[in-house]
Amino acid sequence: MKQSKHRRFILGLLVVSVATSLLNVGQVNAAEKSNIRLVAVGDSLTEGIGDTTKQQGYTKRTAKLLTKAYGVRVKTANYGKAGDRSDQILRRVKSDKKAVRDIKKADVIVMTVGATTYNKRCLKRFLQNQIRL
């Protein structure tokens, strides 16, 4: 039953992703803007775990690249949290009023999800196989 809920959730995310792509939500032409709001949502990669430069992983680096390439001011908001699965990210962001506001105002939304979910599932299967040996 639990696996069925997880599959439906993943399928729902896939449907939303495809629908969003088909609807062409929009593009931001940085050369035509003076300010860009970039919001990052996700897991440890988004949070910046392992980033020895302490720039919040790719979030601040992306902002710096946009500023350098287009001369725009980039304001970032980072809603990454290490260890969160996709269902936890969704629940966390939906319950955070500031995150909801930032996402609604964003020019660019970047999302990385799945590494934690995938890695935990792989580890579990690996351990199950090791026990059977």
Side-chain angles (χ1 to χ4, degrees), residues 41-115:
V41 178
D43 52 23
S44 59
L45 183 61
T46 306
E47 183 179 355
I49 297 299
D51 180 5
T52 58
T53 65
K54 305 294 183 205
Q55 296 182 66
Q56 294 184 338
Y58 66 80
T59 309
K60 292 289 184 183
R61 292 175 189 211
T62 302
K64 286 181 179 182
L65 289 171
L66 288 169
T67 298
K68 185 176 180 180
Y70 299 101
V72 295
R73 184 174 165 256
V74 182
K75 181 179 179 187
T76 63
N78 188 328
Y79 295 100
K81 183 177 176 202
D84 272 6
R85 298 181 317 268
S86 52
D87 60 315
Q88 294 168 317
I89 294 167
L90 179 62
R91 189 173 30 245
R92 176 172 46 83
V93 170
K94 284 173 74 173
S95 67
D96 183 333
K97 290 178 182 176
K98 184 176 183 325
V100 171
R101 259 192 325 270
D102 284 345
I103 289 168
K104 285 181 179 180
K105 291 180 181 179
D107 296 301
V108 178
I109 301 170
V110 183
M111 182 181 220
T112 53
V113 178

Side-chain angles (χ1 to χ4, degrees), residues 13-31:
L13 282 178
L14 181 61
V15 169
V16 169
S17 296
V18 170
T20 302
S21 297
L22 293 174
L23 292 173
N24 191 14
V25 169
Q27 295 179 351
V28 175
N29 187 344

